[in-house]
Amino acid sequence: MSKIGVEESLTNIQEALREKGFDVVEIKQEADAKNLDCCVVTGLESNVMGISDTSMKASIIEANGLTADQVCSEVENKLNAIQ
């Protein structure tokens, strides 16, 4: 099962991803973003959550301006592309 990290303020997206069967982890700090397949962030900051590790393998999706359904589609597309 794919493990998706979602910034803590995006509760509607967390719920939508759980409904689709994803294992969702709330991202509160940099350590929470380790070993994830994909991360969903607000995109409102240039250095979101203070994450500066450029070797992170997870795909990053900026949720700013997207609905929960659109974010779910983006997550599915990113995960299908890496499989």
Side-chain angles (χ1 to χ4, degrees):
M1 178 184 298
S2 297
K3 196 170 186 179
I4 312 300
V6 181
E7 201 169 321
E8 65 181 323
S9 63
L10 300 172
T11 54
N12 62 326
I13 292 172
Q14 291 175 25
E15 292 169 10
L17 288 167
R18 283 188 182 106
E19 287 177 12
K20 297 247 182 204
F22 291 105
D23 181 12
V24 177
V25 175
E26 194 172 273
I27 301 174
K28 296 178 184 176
Q29 56 191 9
E30 182 178 356
D32 298 333
K34 295 192 185 299
N35 301 315
L36 298 175
D37 297 304
C38 189
C39 291
V40 180
V41 297
T42 60
L44 299 177
E45 300 178 23
S46 60
N47 186 11
V48 177
M49 305 297 296
I51 299 171
S52 59
D53 181 6
T54 57
S55 65
M56 192 169 119
K57 294 179 181 166
S59 296
I60 307 291
I61 296 171
E62 289 187 20
N64 190 29
L66 300 177
T67 66
D69 286 337
Q70 288 172 319
V71 171
C72 288
S73 293
E74 287 288 321
V75 168
E76 290 168 342
N77 290 339
K78 295 275 186 184
L79 294 175
N80 288 334
I82 60 173
Q83 290 179 352

